[in-house]
Amino acid sequence: MTSTHAALSPFARIKVRTSALVFCDDEVALIRRDRSNSVLYTTIGGNVEDAEPLPQALRRELSEELSLDLDQAEGGELLWVVDQRVSRPGATPPPRKLH
């Protein structure tokens, strides 16, 4: 395999992300992301920083995006893990994201 092929490998760059569905009664918090041709809604979360424990990363993201203090939250459990290869236009190789 040449170095060009190695750089384009979906495993060449893996981003680990943390995310949560936050419920309040029958409502769920989502982030609205306006794009040039569409509107997307995503769950609360983001990239895990190097050596950051996953629970701490989720706590940080919930604080940053919702000003939510997890010490005052109830419940919470791991429901699923998603392994995703993201496609993008252009020459940048797509990252693999582990949610």
Side-chain angles (χ1 to χ4, degrees), residues 15 17 78 80-85 96-99:
K15 288 186 177 182
R17 297 179 48 84
L78 177 63
W80 69 84
V81 174
V82 177
D83 190 349
Q84 168 188 26
R85 181 168 178 203
R96 179 178 175 204
K97 294 184 178 184
L98 184 60
H99 296 265

Side-chain angles (χ1 to χ4, degrees), residues 19-91:
S19 182
L21 286 173
V22 178
F23 293 93
C24 183
D25 295 323
D26 62 347
E27 296 182 340
V28 64
L30 296 172
I31 299 292
R32 179 183 167 137
R33 301 189 189 280
D34 294 321
R35 302 291 190 237
S36 59
N37 296 330
S38 64
V39 175
L40 304 174
Y41 292 89
T42 63
T43 57
I44 310 306
N47 292 330
V48 176
E49 296 173 2
D50 290 339
E52 185 178 27
L54 294 177
Q56 182 177 329
L58 183 57
R59 178 180 291 274
R60 177 182 51 75
E61 289 293 338
L62 291 169
S63 176
E64 289 174 0
E65 296 183 5
L66 293 179
S67 298
L68 183 65
D69 181 357
L70 284 185
D71 292 332
Q72 298 180 17
E74 295 178 9
E77 62 183 290
L78 177 63
L79 299 177
W80 69 84
V81 174
V82 177
D83 190 349
Q84 168 188 26
R85 181 168 178 203
V86 179
S87 62
R88 293 188 177 148

